[in-house]
Structure formats: structure tokens, C-alpha cells
Amino acid sequence: MNRQTRFYALAARYVALLGILLLLSFSALSQTPAKKFSAQEMDEILYHIHTYYVEDLPLSRYNQSNLSSLFDNLDPYSKYLDSEELEAIFSAANGRYTGLGIEVEEQGNYVTIVDTLPNSPAEIAGIERGDKLSLINNIDVTGKTIAEVSALLKAANKNQLQLVVLRGSSAVNIALKRQEIVLESVASKLLKDGTGFLSVNSFNHHTYHDVARQINYLQLQYGDALKKLVIDLRDNPGGTLNSAVAISDLFLDSGTIVTTKGRFFDANQAYFARQGDILNGAPIVVLINNNSASAAEILAAALKDNKRALVVGLRSYGKGSVQSLIPIGNGTTALKLTTARYYTPTGTSIEGTGVEPDVYFTKQALSLLDKSAIITGEESIKKNGIEQLASHWPKAFALVQSQ
């Protein structure tokens, strides 16, 4: 077997089409690898980019001395993964991840907490949405990027972390450790009049089964088939392509779910719904916002374009590319490479533009609809003013049924 054939065989064996799962942020981390590559690794990297990357790049001028500029010319989602980064992706795709359990974004000079994962070290330690990271183990992180902050957190391994966060006008000291977290990707609540509320937080290999299980559980609670369903995809950063396709198929009897297009043969795929709708046609409303990305956008667009659901909220993030994991060397490192772009059932690419909702809600109105409040119970819903917003749902469901 010659080297080119061996490379292709390895790729065929290991390539996993993944919508990248960003648990820290939608911001792309630095693509430039720090390590020096052997001549064989250089050959593999150049071969894979030439063969699989979504765009045809001139590669003849690249060598060991200027390889970093090649990675800088790839899109923000393509990068070299060391063994730890590769393991983290596999863990996340399997519903596990080692870390603090925070979602962050850059706001001004600070990396700011957007949310914490349920039962995570961050939630247990008392980190709150809106906290601004100030110090990590006495190192000032003001003005640092998410990539720099992430590197400091990873460097602590599972040792104790001492954080100082800015909360309003106060500085709060917090001690915690990075730990393995089992990601609960789906939560549900039975609301009034047979309406189910399904909160999908990410798309991993277990999410399809979790969605089906939660819907069955809601119907058992109600004692009958659900009359309506709200699927909340707000702040969902995405996950695996196969998960998004399978979950879309749960609610569709027919039609295209998504198509992918790339330069190599297997990157060109069309995914279609099979007969069988778990809700038997009951109307669906899908909630999205600016942080709904990747696999979440595939689901929202599939249900919208097939006129199966009304999409409500704000325009989504706009990540319309598919990444593949391609092993390097002995398979302990890899390239995460954009190999295709995906297109909605109407043939639209949402890259950079996002999914446009059928009905816009203001950011202020959407912020009232707190996921944790809904999942916790009806009293929390009343206290957070959610019933007022929920009063719009009958009109939304009526619109679904009129399509």
C-alpha cells in the first residue's frame, strides 16, 4: 500500500463529520500549532488539506518554516489538534468533558461568564452569569483573549484553581477544580394544556436518544399525546451533524433535512427524513437566539423549511460549515478540517448569516424566558414574568397550524 493510499484509508476509517462543539465560546481558538512537525507529518498535513479542505488552496510554497502561515489561512474552525485537544472533542461528542463547566465570551477587556453547566464545578462553586474573570491563580487576565484564558485554566490540570471574578462593584474569590462533567444535553417540562417544553443544550452522540426519551416521558406525564411542543435551542453551540439529522428526522415524515457540499466525493451528502413523526403532526415552536449555532441551526432550518415548526426569537449565529477529524501519524493527533458547507432544505447556506426566525422576539423579551426557571417549575415561571411571554405561544402555534 503506497503512502497516499494509506493516508486515504486512515482518513476513511477515522473521519467523523462533526459540527464543532464549542463549550467555552463561539470564538475560534488560535489555529497555529506550536509544535515542530516531522517530514512525514508535514507530508500528511499538506496532503489532507489538498485533498479534503473545502477550498482549493495553493500549497506548493509551504514548508516547515512557514507552516504557521498555512494554518492562519485556513478558516477559523480548522486547526491542528494535539492529543489533549483531540481527546476533549471525543469526550464532548460522547457527552463528557473535563473542565469547569463555563460558557464564556469576550466583552470589552474581560472574558465574561455567559452560563454555567448544571452540576458543574463552576455552578457548585457559585460562579454566576455576568461574572468577569479577573485573576486566575493570581495571574491578571484582564485584556487576555479566550484562548489565553483557556490555556491558563488547562495548565492547572485537576489542581485547585483560585479565581477572582468581578461581580458588579465587588471582587469575589472562588476556589474550584477542573473535573470531568457528564453533559446533560436535554431537559424537559410539561406545561399547561399538554404543551411540552424541551431544552436542548448541545448535540452529542446521546442527544437523539435523550430527546426521544424526554418526549415519551412528557407524554406519560400528560397521559396522552402532546398537544404542542416548544424546542428551546437558545445558546446551543451545536455538536455532531449526525445527531442534528437524527433529531430532525424524529419530527419529520418526509423532506430534505440538510445537504453538505465539499471538494472530495464523500463530503457531498443529502440527508432525508424517513416516515414517522414522534408527535404525529402536533405543532412545534422552536426558540433560537444569536448564540444558536451549527447543529442547532440545522435542526431549526430543517423544521422551518419543511414547514413543520415556527421558528421564534433572534437570527442565529451563522455557522454553516462541517468539520472532519483526520488522524495524523499514529492517530493520537489530528487535523480538524472544514471539509464541507451545509445547506438548508431550501438550498440556502447560513454561513455568516444564520437562520432567520419566522417571528422576531426582542432580546429583552427572550431574556425573560429563562430555561432554568421553566425546568424548575411553574412558580419560577410566574416570578420571572414568563407567563406573559408564554401568552404569545397560542398565536405562534396557530401560525404553525395555518402553514
Side-chain angles (χ1 to χ4, degrees):
M1 181 184 293
N2 63 37
R3 186 166 66 181
Q4 181 167 319
T5 304
R6 182 174 62 84
F7 289 164
Y8 190 88
L10 273 172
R13 180 178 176 188
Y14 288 106
V15 166
L17 291 177
L18 297 175
I20 180 60
L21 182 63
L22 296 178
L23 293 173
L24 283 177
S25 166
F26 292 109
S27 302
L29 302 180
S30 171
Q31 301 112 274
T32 306
K35 70 164 283 184
K36 285 283 187 180
F37 295 101
S38 68
Q40 179 179 330
E41 288 173 324
M42 276 286 303
D43 286 346
E44 288 188 59
I45 288 170
L46 292 174
Y47 172 76
H48 290 320
I49 293 174
H50 171 70
T51 304
Y52 301 116
Y53 188 59
V54 70
E55 295 175 8
D56 189 6
L57 298 178
L59 301 177
S60 58
R61 67 178 184 270
Y62 293 106
N63 53 45
Q64 184 72 259
S65 64
N66 63 0
L67 187 62
S68 62
S69 61
L70 168 59
F71 281 92
D72 289 338
N73 285 325
L74 301 178
D75 75 324
Y77 304 106
S78 297
K79 63 173 292 189
Y80 170 80
L81 300 172
D82 62 27
S83 57
E84 286 188 6
E85 292 170 316
L86 182 59
E87 181 61 32
I89 285 186
F90 283 134
S91 295
N94 285 305
R96 295 179 179 275
Y97 130 86
T98 297
L100 302 180
I102 55 175
E103 295 178 22
V104 301
E105 65 183 14
E106 292 179 28
Q107 294 181 3
N109 287 327
Y110 294 99
V111 171
T112 302
I113 307 298
V114 175
D115 206 356
T116 58
L117 298 178
N119 301 314
S120 65
E123 184 187 60
I124 293 167
I127 291 178
E128 297 180 3
R129 183 182 302 178
D131 284 351
K132 296 177 171 61
L133 290 174
S134 176
L135 298 175
I136 298 175
N137 288 342
N138 294 319
I139 299 174
D140 188 353
V141 294
T142 305
K144 291 190 181 296
T145 65
I146 287 172
E148 292 169 320
V149 168
S150 177
L152 285 172
L153 295 174
K154 286 180 180 178
N157 199 4
K158 291 189 178 181
N159 296 325
Q160 189 87 356
L161 276 165
Q162 298 291 335
L163 304 183
V164 175
V165 300
L166 302 181
R167 186 176 297 164
S169 59
S170 302
V172 181
N173 291 284
I174 296 173
L176 71 171
K177 287 184 179 181
R178 295 175 71 243
Q179 296 176 6
E180 185 178 84
I181 301 166
V182 178
L183 301 174
E184 296 291 342
S185 62
V186 184
S188 67
K189 176 74 178 179
L190 183 63
L191 303 179
K192 295 178 179 177
D193 305 320
T195 299
F197 180 90
L198 203 65
S199 174
V200 183
N201 302 310
S202 65
F203 289 80
N204 61 50
H205 294 326
H206 306 294
T207 307
Y208 164 79
H209 298 287
D210 290 344
V211 167
R213 179 171 51 82
Q214 292 284 0
I215 289 176
N216 287 330
Y217 175 68
L218 290 172
Q219 293 185 145
L220 282 172
Q221 275 189 297
Y222 183 56
D224 202 350
L226 290 176
K227 303 298 182 186
K228 309 163 190 171
L229 182 67
V230 177
I231 303 176
D232 192 349
L233 300 178
R234 290 172 301 151
D235 300 321
N236 183 318
T240 65
L241 173 64
N242 288 342
S243 176
V245 169
I247 292 166
S248 300
D249 194 15
L250 274 176
F251 304 106
L252 293 170
D253 258 328
S254 61
T256 302
I257 294 173
V258 67
T259 57
T260 62
K261 299 178 183 179
R263 289 175 52 245
F264 81 102
F265 179 78
D266 285 341
N268 297 280
Q269 300 286 343
Y271 299 87
F272 301 98
R274 297 167 297 180
Q275 189 170 6
D277 173 358
I278 194 170
L279 293 179
N280 295 315
I284 301 171
V285 165
V286 175
L287 296 174
I288 61 172
N289 66 5
N290 303 140
N291 292 331
S292 306
S294 185
E297 293 173 292
I298 289 175
L299 175 57
L303 298 186
K304 176 188 176 184
D305 287 1
N306 283 289
K307 299 191 181 302
R308 182 63 186 89
L310 196 76
V311 176
V312 173
L314 300 169
R315 187 184 292 271
S316 63
Y317 182 77
K319 182 186 178 296
S321 59
V322 180
Q323 282 68 50
S324 299
L325 297 180
I326 304 175
I328 299 295
N330 62 7
T332 59
T333 62
L335 287 179
K336 176 167 66 65
L337 210 59
T338 294
T339 53
R341 294 193 172 94
Y342 71 76
Y343 295 81
T344 69
T346 58
T348 303
S349 169
I350 56 90
E351 178 66 31
T353 60
V355 177
E356 183 176 3
D358 298 298
V359 178
Y360 275 87
F361 273 2
T362 65
K363 188 171 288 188
Q364 291 77 12
L366 272 181
S367 67
L368 290 175
L369 195 58
D370 185 76
K371 289 187 181 186
S372 59
I374 293 176
I375 300 303
T376 302
E378 298 294 337
E379 289 305 312
S380 297
I381 293 176
K382 292 175 183 176
K383 288 177 184 176
N384 285 275
I386 292 167
E387 282 191 340
Q388 181 180 357
L389 186 58
S391 67
H392 293 278
W393 290 350
K395 182 179 179 181
F397 284 119
L399 286 170
V400 179
Q401 291 172 305
S402 68
Q403 292 191 77

